[in-house]
Amino acid sequence: GIQVEQSPPDLILQEGANSTLRCNFSDSVNNLQWFHQNPWGQLINLFYIPSGTKQNGRLSATTVATERYSLLYISSSQTTDSGVYFCAATYYGGSQGNLIFGKGTKLSVKP
Amino acid sequence: DGGITQSPKYLFRKEGQNVTLSCEQNLNHDAMYWYRQDPGQGLRLIYYSQIVNDFQKGDIAEGYSVSREKKESFPLTVTSAQKNPTAFYLCASSIGQPNTEAFFGQGTRLTVV
């Protein structure tokens, strides 16, 4: 089945720094999402981005489907950005709508 | 407010007991899903349903059961056959094919005591 790999597994930043999180997937996908899991466990939707580039405030994401990767950019990081970031994908031929998750990137932003 | 509501937030179960986790959505979504998350891990699919009165097993369905009698409701029962049920359980929904963007509830943390 499809593999979704995220890097780095852990990231520590000083407040105000920029960062790039990467998601590689092993097969063609028809959906890719980025989530932020807050300290209470809730998954917050960041981007639905099967291809192309989107921006939302300090966050932006790019998916290059032909090269099987997606990037999440966080600029001017804040302590509230801390948490775990997951990417997840559904793929052609898979169980309909079944998101395959990576293991996440744990981000810690220090004041 | 539109959204997905899971209850309870915390649940304690004695060994040998069945427990049912509730998931309700008022987004008029056709598809609903149950995922399990273990510490430090991503989410794994337990069951999913694309339409009322139909559901399919996911990757780790053993020891779990579901029903989909109403569009807005997709309860998950953790049975005594589930050997290691302590985990964080998340319910999700999506409009359905071809748009598969999923939205999640706040989760239920189940602990076996």
Side-chain angles (χ1 to χ4, degrees):
Chain A
I2 190 173
Q3 303 292 320
V4 178
E5 295 182 351
Q6 293 186 242
S7 60
D10 296 279
L11 186 58
I12 300 174
L13 297 175
Q14 205 66 33
E15 197 168 27
N18 302 330
S19 62
T20 301
L21 282 58
R22 186 176 180 101
C23 174
N24 292 333
F25 37 93
S26 61
D27 208 339
S28 298
V29 299
N30 58 9
N31 171 22
L32 190 123
Q33 290 186 248
W34 283 97
F35 298 93
H36 176 214
Q37 189 166 40
N38 65 22
W40 298 272
Q42 186 168 11
L43 283 173
I44 308 299
N45 286 43
L46 297 177
F47 294 101
Y48 171 68
I49 187 165
S51 62
T53 297
K54 291 185 177 180
Q55 181 153 9
N56 184 4
R58 296 181 296 103
L59 273 60
S60 64
T62 295
T63 297
V64 184
T66 53
E67 297 187 21
R68 300 182 182 172
Y69 73 88
S70 183
L71 302 174
L72 177 69
Y73 304 97
I74 304 174
S75 64
S76 304
S77 58
Q78 301 175 359
T79 56
T80 53
D81 294 332
S82 296
V84 183
Y85 289 80
F86 288 103
C87 74
T90 61
Y91 64 102
Y92 295 102
S95 303
Q96 292 184 4
N98 177 15
L99 282 167
I100 308 297
F101 280 78
K103 293 189 175 181
T105 292
K106 185 176 181 180
L107 175 64
S108 300
V109 181
K110 306 297 185 185
Chain B
D1 273 5
I4 302 167
T5 301
Q6 290 187 240
S7 62
K9 195 170 183 179
Y10 298 95
L11 186 57
F12 296 90
R13 189 195 95 171
K14 293 183 180 179
E15 287 195 21
Q17 282 184 336
N18 294 352
V19 291
T20 297
L21 283 59
S22 171
C23 178
E24 303 276 333
Q25 55 98 0
N26 61 4
L27 300 169
N28 200 32
H29 284 173
D30 285 321
M32 296 187 73
Y33 312 85
W34 275 106
Y35 288 87
R36 169 181 171 139
Q37 186 179 27
D38 293 288
Q41 301 295 314
L43 279 67
R44 293 180 292 166
L45 183 70
I46 305 172
Y47 268 98
Y48 65 101
S49 168
Q50 294 291 331
I51 197 169
V52 174
N53 292 323
D54 186 51
F55 49 83
Q56 305 294 328
K57 292 182 179 181
D59 299 320
I60 55 167
E62 185 175 352
Y64 300 98
S65 66
V66 294
S67 63
R68 187 88 186 275
E69 297 176 1
K70 298 186 295 182
K71 185 176 185 177
E72 58 270 23
S73 179
F74 191 40
L76 174 74
T77 297
V78 184
T79 74
S80 57
Q82 169 50 238
K83 299 303 180 189
N84 185 20
T86 295
F88 189 50
Y89 292 87
L90 286 150
C91 177
S93 70
S94 68
I95 291 174
Q97 294 290 347
N99 182 339
T100 59
E101 183 178 10
F103 298 86
F104 283 80
Q106 292 184 314
T108 293
R109 200 166 297 276
L110 173 63
T111 303
V112 173
V113 296

